[in-house]
Amino acid sequence: MKFPAGLPIGESWIEAPWTAPVIFPYDGSTVADAPVGDVDLARQALDHALAVRETVGRLPSYLRRKVLQSVHSAVLAARDEFADLLVLETGKPLVDCRVEIDRTLLTLETSAEEVARLHGETVPLDLLPSGDGLLGFWVRKPIGVVVGITGFNYPLLLAAHKIAPAFAAGCPIIVKPAPQTPLATLWLVHLMRSALLEAGAPESALQLITGGPDVGAALTTDRRIGAVSFTGSAAVGHRIARDAAPTKVLLELGSNSALVVAEDADLDAAADAIVRGGYYASGQACISVQRVIAVESVRPALLEKLGGRLPTVTVGDPRDPSTRVSALIDPNSTARVREWVDESVHAGATIAYASTGDVLGPTVLTDVPSGQLAWDEEIFGPVIAVRSVPDIDTAFRTVNETRYGLHASVFTSSLDTAFAAIDRLEVGGVVINEVPGFRSDVMPYGGVKDSGIGREGPRFAIEELTTTRMAIIRPRP
């Protein structure tokens, strides 16, 4: 880690009133002591962001692109160090942290490219006689100060998803990382503020504040901001939306993503995807496979193939490149997941597979009844639940019988089934013959229902963080 002490507020780094240890989830050791902010610092950050709002909004396109390109180069140069730091503060396997770095780099690069595509268009106003002789066009303008709040599971990537599009759009941004995982985000912010300083732009275009819910509330309820972009649980997202109204909110919330296995599916490919998609990041991903819905005729063979693959999933130290599942973010999360599994078994579900050891490893439940948290809610751990249905129509209805709607996938050999899934599944993304967690950072990403509102991905987030301004001119004769 190579960044100053304190919190980046205004044009400098300010000493925080407290510090708190960042814990390595795998063994409980302390990674570092991180600064913890308070409401007073949050208000200072807001004042600084508002003071530079017009300046940042008028920064020329070449400068905004140059800053983002510089940050991309800096992260690329330190990619191995970033990956090691992410392993320590998240406990996520190294292989997944390396993927997070790659996706962060793509987000920075694509956001820089999108600066050149931020424009409006001319429109014909003479569709009515009253518009004859008028010139009409519209442009995009920054929405104002953005507050970005991120989750613990992908701290660097989620911060990049907030920071890069906001700056590309010409918006100052205040980012608040999850309390458990602030370190990689602090480093990213330092790199970007260094690039801002070098480019002659105000460093307070990007600030970072840590702290508890009171700090978050101070940021999101201030009527002077333009938008809140939040990634986290549905319960917190709903509260932010209520408290922030009428400020615009972008919410990327939870899910219990489904993977459907049709009668004509390639079962080996489906089994591989279930293992890969259910257990990456130790199951702590909003679009990891949680519900497997298989047509009854293929269920026995599918379960057999899963049983043959699961013992090969390496559980252990996340620093080991071969590890695929490691400790969850904290002991409370592990206890909660175990409790949900036990409750499901008491309600009639069966544990078809479970690994042994101190770390909660890959687990497969079958026949979890509706009404159980392991089926209805986001488990956020290495647990999948398999249920069989008589036909593909019932499978689609089962996918939709949830309050969530982020991603779903369908394994099939039929184009008819694939297009029916795209038409009928009530989710933000439908993936055919791949894991629901296959996410391209250049696609519009987001959910429906309780999985959120708004879209991420540089192009789409930039549009969300700008407003259209209509212009009408009647030339003088």
Side-chain angles (χ1 to χ4, degrees):
M1 296 179 291
K2 302 174 182 177
F3 50 83
L7 291 168
I9 305 293
E11 300 298 305
S12 61
W13 289 67
I14 296 178
E15 183 179 358
W18 302 285
T19 62
V22 175
I23 302 300
F24 181 32
Y26 181 67
D27 64 12
S29 61
T30 297
V31 179
D33 288 322
V36 179
D38 58 16
V39 170
D40 287 339
L41 285 178
R43 289 173 178 152
Q44 287 184 43
L46 284 166
D47 290 340
H48 285 294
L50 289 160
V52 298
R53 174 185 170 182
E54 291 188 9
T55 300
V56 175
R58 292 194 177 104
L59 290 175
S61 299
Y62 79 84
L63 188 147
R64 284 179 280 137
R65 181 171 61 180
K66 177 183 177 181
V67 167
L68 291 169
Q69 289 171 337
S70 296
V71 180
H72 174 274
S73 297
V75 174
L76 181 62
R79 64 182 306 158
D80 291 340
E81 295 170 87
F82 264 115
D84 291 341
L85 176 58
L86 286 170
V87 170
L88 293 177
E89 69 172 338
T90 68
K92 197 166 57 183
L94 177 61
V95 63
D96 298 312
C97 293
R98 287 172 172 167
V99 171
E100 180 174 356
I101 300 295
D102 290 340
R103 291 180 59 194
T104 298
L105 289 167
L106 178 62
T107 298
L108 292 166
E109 181 180 36
T110 307
S111 296
E113 293 171 354
E114 287 297 328
V115 172
R117 303 183 182 97
L118 187 58
H119 52 73
E121 63 183 50
T122 58
V123 293
L125 296 182
D126 57 356
L127 295 174
L128 290 174
S130 58
D132 192 22
L134 294 178
L135 171 67
F137 63 94
W138 59 268
V139 295
R140 287 195 173 274
K141 292 292 183 180
I143 200 168
V145 175
V146 175
V147 172
I149 302 177
T150 63
F152 69 79
N153 55 332
Y154 281 80
L156 185 67
L157 177 63
L158 295 176
H161 279 167
K162 313 301 183 191
I163 293 167
F167 183 70
C171 300
I173 179 167
I174 303 167
V175 64
K176 181 180 182 295
Q180 306 98 316
T181 55
L183 301 177
T185 308
L186 276 163
W187 192 1
L188 176 67
V189 167
H190 170 58
L191 293 177
M192 182 155 170
R193 283 168 63 98
S194 298
L196 288 165
L197 180 63
E198 184 177 352
E203 290 182 76
S204 46
L206 172 58
Q207 301 172 87
L208 183 147
I209 183 73
T210 53
D214 56 337
V215 171
L219 296 172
T220 59
T221 59
D222 194 298
R223 295 282 72 83
R224 300 172 295 172
I225 65 173
V228 177
S229 180
F230 170 79
T231 300
S233 71
V236 176
H238 294 171
R239 185 168 67 248
I240 287 174
R242 288 192 300 269
D243 294 346
T247 300
K248 183 173 185 178
V249 293
L250 308 174
L251 304 176
E252 199 273 275
L253 308 178
S255 186
N256 53 0
S257 295
L259 184 150
V260 172
V261 184
E263 195 171 28
D264 58 0
D266 179 336
L267 295 186
D268 285 311
D272 287 341
I274 291 167
V275 173
R276 185 172 70 254
Y279 303 123
Y280 77 97
S282 305
Q284 296 175 119
C286 54
I287 42 179
S288 63
V289 175
Q290 181 171 334
R291 297 182 297 155
V292 176
I293 302 166
V295 172
E296 181 63 47
S297 60
V298 302
R299 169 181 165 138
L302 179 66
L303 287 174
E304 182 179 355
K305 291 178 182 297
L306 282 176
R309 286 163 168 77
L310 290 169
T312 68
V313 178
T314 303
V315 180
D317 191 329
R319 295 166 292 193
D320 186 334
S322 67
T323 295
R324 293 299 178 268
V325 174
S326 191
L328 300 187
I329 188 65
D330 55 40
N332 288 337
S333 295
T334 302
R336 176 190 56 77
V337 173
R338 292 188 190 277
E339 182 179 349
W340 286 18
V341 170
D342 291 342
E343 289 174 354
S344 296
V345 172
H346 292 152
T350 300
I351 297 178
Y353 182 86
S355 63
T356 58
D358 295 333
V359 172
L360 178 61
T363 303
V364 177
L365 298 170
T366 56
D367 304 318
V368 177
S370 296
Q372 289 300 304
L373 295 171
W375 182 266
D376 290 357
E377 295 298 324
E378 182 177 45
I379 198 162
F380 229 59
V383 179
I384 63 171
V386 181
R387 181 186 291 185
S388 56
V389 292
D391 50 50
I392 197 68
D393 287 336
T394 307
F396 289 168
R397 288 197 299 273
T398 304
V399 171
N400 291 339
E401 290 171 352
T402 174
R403 69 189 182 103
Y404 296 111
L406 193 48
H407 272 202
S409 67
V410 178
F411 276 74
T412 179
S413 300
S414 165
L415 277 177
D416 286 343
T417 300
F419 281 106
I422 294 168
D423 182 53
R424 293 174 55 188
L425 296 183
E426 298 168 356
V427 292
V430 177
V431 184
I432 305 299
N433 293 330
E434 250 299 347
V435 296
F438 184 88
R439 173 179 174 181
S440 171
D441 294 284
V442 297
M443 293 281 276
Y445 176 78
V448 298
K449 300 192 282 189
D450 277 4
S451 286
I453 186 171
R455 292 296 180 264
E456 289 192 338
R459 172 188 168 188
F460 308 95
I462 290 170
E463 290 184 357
E464 296 275 14
L465 298 176
T466 56
T467 59
T468 58
R469 181 173 298 170
M470 180 182 68
I472 299 174
I473 301 173
R474 183 180 294 280
R476 296 181 66 180

